[in-house]
Amino acid sequence: MRWPRFIARCVQLVLGTAVMAACAPASAKEEGGIKVDPTGQIEFRLVESDLAVDQGEGFDSSGVAFRAEAGLDFDLGKTTGARVEVEGGYYDYSDPIHQDRTSYGGAIELRQELSEAFEIRLRFRRIENIALLESTRADQTSVGVRLQWEHGNDRLRAFADYRWREYDLSDKPKGKGWRFAGQYNRRFGSYHWLRFDLAYEEIDSDTSPARAYDRTTAKVEYSHPIAKRLRLKPSVEYRSWSYDARIARGDPQGELRQDSYVGPALELSYGSDTRGFYAEANAQYRLRTSNDVRYDHDAFRVGVTAGFRF
């Protein structure tokens, strides 16, 4: 672990993402009839995993990470709002053959209440140097819409995103495609809920067909409070994906690669979803199946996260 470099990168990210918050009022304030509320977040994560860097995405493999975010929330009226945010992350992998990774980006979001029960959100985001299913380093631009219905203790969300991806290779191949998702949340009390998620996504690439894929994801998660601000969250996730132009190595039939896993997990979470200190400890065991011998093995992943929202 390259601690001096890691600490230096973290300091740079804190200073960089703090610029927006520093230029804004210290607390929510009326500016010409518009209410402006600055927000920020810093987060440290430690991961120990059986997954290699090219077998996951985001930060699934062993290492340490730091992330910082700063944003401005605008209240434009009783039913209208907007948000502007910047973010940065630094990822130091334990595997010495993989270089560390610095990500940075920003987003703009618009929110409109259509009625007491319905709300719509539009979001534009650009993020540089992220790890994805089909590439360990890529840049992404996305435009998305979220429609939400909420009544009493029930909440239903529908998502649609279109994503353009640029892979960090010498010939600069590109990919693009849709992601559709839905979520149902049933609330029983404070920090006590049951949630169902379902998503389908696809990426097509004319310049690099081996990166094209489609994937289905389903997840069930339950949150149960066990003490003040402390809850236990068991979950189970299923993912299944296939590639358009990757031959499964070791498959006697020579078929295209297909992967899936079932991942039961358990998380202990502390803190508020709004502001203040928070911490999480989670463990997941992935029962993985693949017709490619390199990926047909189970994997264990544990992680610890600590952060502060302000």
Side-chain angles (χ1 to χ4, degrees):
M1 195 66 64
R2 301 171 288 271
W3 284 106
R5 180 185 295 181
F6 180 78
I7 294 172
R9 291 283 189 176
C10 293
V11 172
Q12 292 174 2
L13 287 172
V14 171
L15 293 177
T17 53
V19 171
M20 179 178 290
C23 295
S27 58
K29 182 180 179 180
E30 295 287 344
E31 295 287 348
I34 299 176
K35 186 178 179 181
V36 183
D37 187 12
T39 65
Q41 179 179 345
I42 56 175
E43 181 179 280
F44 175 84
R45 188 183 308 169
L46 174 65
V47 173
E48 184 64 33
S49 171
D50 294 333
L51 293 164
V53 176
D54 61 351
Q55 292 180 323
E57 57 191 304
F59 196 56
D60 280 337
S61 55
S62 298
V64 293
F66 180 84
R67 180 177 177 274
E69 177 186 301
L72 293 174
D73 287 316
F74 298 89
D75 188 346
L76 306 177
K78 292 183 178 180
T79 62
T80 307
R83 177 174 172 82
V84 179
E85 64 185 35
V86 293
E87 63 178 288
Y90 178 67
Y91 306 86
D92 191 344
Y93 297 103
S94 297
D95 190 338
I97 68 173
H98 289 280
Q99 297 179 346
D100 55 4
R101 177 170 57 86
T102 301
S103 298
Y104 52 91
I108 300 174
E109 183 178 273
L110 300 176
R111 181 184 73 254
Q112 178 65 51
E113 292 183 16
L114 304 178
S115 67
E116 291 186 1
F118 284 96
E119 177 191 84
I120 189 171
R121 294 194 182 196
L122 302 176
R123 183 175 175 87
F124 172 84
R125 183 175 184 246
R126 173 68 179 181
I127 184 73
E128 303 276 339
N129 207 21
I130 56 176
L132 301 165
L133 175 65
E134 74 278 24
S135 175
T136 57
R137 292 176 184 268
D139 307 327
Q140 176 175 281
T141 301
S142 61
V143 177
V145 59
R146 187 190 84 182
L147 183 62
Q148 175 178 292
W149 171 85
E150 186 169 9
H151 179 72
N153 293 322
D154 297 296
R155 187 185 70 202
L156 185 63
R157 289 174 173 172
F159 307 82
D161 300 89
Y162 196 79
R163 303 160 300 174
W164 295 265
R165 292 175 173 176
E166 303 155 13
Y167 305 111
D168 292 339
L169 297 172
S170 58
D171 56 345
K172 299 297 182 182
K174 297 181 179 181
K176 59 184 178 180
W178 283 98
R179 179 182 182 271
F180 301 99
Q183 181 190 89
Y184 170 70
N185 192 97
R186 173 66 177 180
R187 184 177 183 272
F188 305 108
S190 180
Y191 298 111
H192 188 196
W193 44 259
L194 179 64
R195 182 175 297 165
F196 299 88
D197 288 276
L198 182 64
Y200 172 79
E201 60 185 302
E202 61 180 9
I203 289 292
D204 295 318
S205 179
D206 296 331
T207 55
S208 184
R211 301 183 187 280
Y213 72 90
D214 62 84
R215 176 169 63 177
T216 301
T217 303
K219 183 178 180 180
V220 180
E221 185 177 24
Y222 175 67
S223 174
H224 190 277
I226 55 178
K228 185 178 181 180
R229 309 188 88 186
L230 184 67
R231 57 265 191 200
L232 193 64
K233 297 196 291 186
S235 66
V236 60
E237 180 183 47
Y238 171 77
R239 292 193 182 190
S240 176
W241 63 99
S242 60
Y243 294 93
D244 293 358
R246 293 193 188 186
I247 302 298
R249 184 178 299 180
D251 186 346
Q253 304 300 322
E255 296 180 346
L256 294 176
R257 182 178 153 194
Q258 296 182 338
D259 297 69
S260 66
Y261 74 74
V262 176
L266 187 63
E267 177 177 290
L268 186 64
S269 180
Y270 172 83
S272 170
D273 292 333
T274 53
R275 302 197 177 191
F277 173 78
Y278 66 93
E280 300 170 352
N282 57 73
Q284 183 184 51
Y285 191 76
R286 297 183 179 181
L287 300 155
R288 185 163 174 169
T289 301
S290 175
N291 61 348
D292 190 314
V293 294
R294 297 170 296 173
Y295 306 100
D296 188 23
H297 59 84
D298 299 342
F300 190 63
R301 180 189 183 278
V302 295
V304 177
T305 301
F308 193 87
R309 300 184 183 96
F310 52 91

